[in-house]
Each structure stands twice: as C-alpha cells, then as structure tokens.
Amino acid sequence: VLVVGSIALDTIKTPIEEHADLLGGSASYASVAASFFDSVNLVGVVGDDFPKEHLELFKSRKIDTEGLQQVPGKTFRWSGEYMWDLNTRETRSVELNVFESFTPTLPEIASAAVSFAMSVSAAVSVFTTGFSVFSPIIAPISVSAVKPSSRFAA
C-alpha cells in the first residue's frame, strides 16, 4: 500500500485535559491502520522537530519510511478542542510549516496494489489522477479508502 499525505503533530484539548505533540495526520493514521493488513510505503514530510518516538512507531509497524522526508523547519501542526460529546470539535490552529512546500518523491517500489493519497494540496492531488508520478509503480489503483484484500474478507 502506498500512502501519501500529511504527517502532523497535533495538540488535542478535551473537557478533561490537553496533550501536545501527538502523532497526527491522515497519512500517519492510514499507514498504521493499513500496516495490520499489508506492507506500507509512507510518503510525506516532517520537520527536524518530529519526535523520534513517532518514527519508532512507524518502524515497529514495519512501515517503509524511505519516502518520508525530514527537512529543516517545523512539522505541520494542528490544534483542536473537543467538546463534552466528543463528536463536536473546533479547530484552534493550523500551521502548515514544512508541509506547505512539500513535493512528494516516490521511492522505487516494485509494485503497489493500492495507493491512498489524501487530499492535502494541489501538488499531492496529482497522485489520484494517474499522472506520470505513478510511472515507477506497476498497475496502481487509486482508492478513497484502504480496503483489506480478499483474504481478510468475511
């Protein structure tokens, strides 16, 4: 599974407490979830402030991070506050930081049966259209959600 998108540091406030620098971003969530079913190649960008413990989580799930760029600057950050029902939230802040100028670079991948590109910017949206960025990949299939292979079907 090829996953391209945002990797973030989130600050989450609930009515009970607040935590900062939590692993966030749609590519992070999709990669970890997909890693329970198949091999994953993660493509994204983080800053030099990205905690090593989050990188260790990717490694512990055997997520290939060859396509993860670590560049000087601050990692994409999102902050939100969840209300008492925990279904309602407000975004408090968004700081794109290094993600603002992110240009995905695909690692050499022998094959990817599923590609999962989050809608993160005009530059990344090209992944869902089948342009030449998919040329190193054999028979990609763009999907809006990761679906387990038939071997996991009920």
Side-chain angles (χ1 to χ4, degrees):
V1 177
L2 172 64
V3 179
V4 182
S6 65
I7 302 165
L9 295 176
D10 290 353
T11 298
I12 306 288
K13 182 177 186 213
T14 68
I16 307 298
E17 52 189 90
E18 184 170 346
H19 293 277
D21 293 337
L22 301 171
L23 180 61
S26 54
S28 299
Y29 299 137
S31 293
V32 171
S35 72
F36 284 89
F37 303 101
D38 210 341
S39 60
V40 176
N41 295 86
L42 174 61
V43 176
V45 65
V46 295
D48 49 21
D49 62 343
F50 194 71
K52 288 186 184 356
E53 66 212 44
H54 299 330
L55 293 172
E56 290 302 319
L57 172 65
F58 295 145
K59 289 180 182 160
S60 75
R61 296 294 322 143
K62 296 184 176 29
I63 296 169
D64 185 333
T65 57
E66 182 183 343
L68 177 60
Q69 302 169 31
Q70 190 160 22
V71 299
K74 293 178 82 174
T75 300
F76 171 47
R77 292 177 181 269
W78 178 87
S79 176
E81 181 173 357
Y82 287 83
M83 307 313 160
W84 278 103
D85 67 2
L86 299 180
N87 287 317
T88 308
R89 70 142 171 88
E90 268 185 37
T91 295
R92 298 188 322 187
S93 66
V94 176
E95 300 170 34
L96 294 176
N97 299 323
V98 297
F99 191 59
E100 188 168 17
S101 58
F102 172 51
T103 302
T105 303
L106 293 179
E108 290 297 320
I109 302 170
S111 66
V114 176
S115 61
F116 183 50
M118 278 49 74
S119 178
V120 292
S121 71
V124 176
S125 67
V126 72
F127 284 91
T128 62
T129 62
F131 285 119
S132 62
V133 292
F134 273 131
S135 60
I137 302 171
I138 299 169
I141 302 168
S142 295
V143 295
S144 59
V146 175
K147 296 179 183 178
S149 66
S150 60
R151 68 178 183 223
F152 297 107

